[in-house]
Amino acid sequence: MSAPLVVSIPHRLGREEAVRRLKTGLGRAAASIPVMQVEEERWSGDSMSFRIRALGQIASGQVDVADDHVKVEVVLPWLLQRFAEMAQATIRKRGQLLLTKDGGKDGGK
């Protein structure tokens, strides 16, 4: 088993709003990446465990939402590890889009 890929995404939304945005926007963000499919998403409080399929490989991970940041940990199978740097950049970019003040449709309350 490889070391997990860890991405920390800062935000200023507060924990509750960040969780709300992630719950509603995660599927849409994943759908915009054609080679990736979310197979399982399970929330427990402010944490979510997930399993995704990319290029025929299964990766699993955990999302933990804090008051000022979101930590995403993904364990990639060895075949996908060569794409780890690209995956890290994509996770950071999509996460920042979801978690910016004006990223929500509610006017960024």
Side-chain angles (χ1 to χ4, degrees):
M1 185 78 53
S2 63
L5 171 72
V6 179
V7 179
S8 183
I9 306 164
H11 68 81
R12 295 186 182 132
L13 300 171
R15 186 183 312 245
E16 193 175 299
E17 177 64 9
V19 168
R20 185 191 72 75
R21 289 192 188 191
L22 288 170
K23 282 183 177 179
T24 60
L26 210 53
R28 285 194 317 266
S32 68
I33 304 171
V35 297
M36 189 177 87
Q37 173 185 355
V38 177
E39 291 202 337
E40 181 181 355
E41 178 182 322
R42 188 179 6 224
W43 282 91
S44 175
D46 300 331
S47 297
M48 178 196 53
S49 58
F50 62 89
R51 191 173 64 230
I52 58 172
R53 180 178 298 272
L55 303 172
Q57 301 293 305
I58 299 287
S60 60
Q62 176 86 17
V63 175
D64 294 304
V65 182
D67 291 332
D68 61 350
H69 72 281
V70 172
K71 184 174 91 171
V72 181
E73 277 188 51
V74 184
V75 177
L76 297 171
W78 70 271
L79 223 57
L80 293 179
Q81 286 182 11
R82 41 190 329 215
F83 301 104
E85 204 170 291
M86 182 177 66
Q88 191 172 28
T90 300
I91 291 167
R92 184 172 285 117
K93 180 181 176 184
R94 304 255 182 218
Q96 286 171 337
L97 287 174
L98 276 173
L99 298 170
T100 54
K101 282 273 190 192
D102 57 353
K105 296 181 189 264
D106 58 4
K109 43 175 175 164

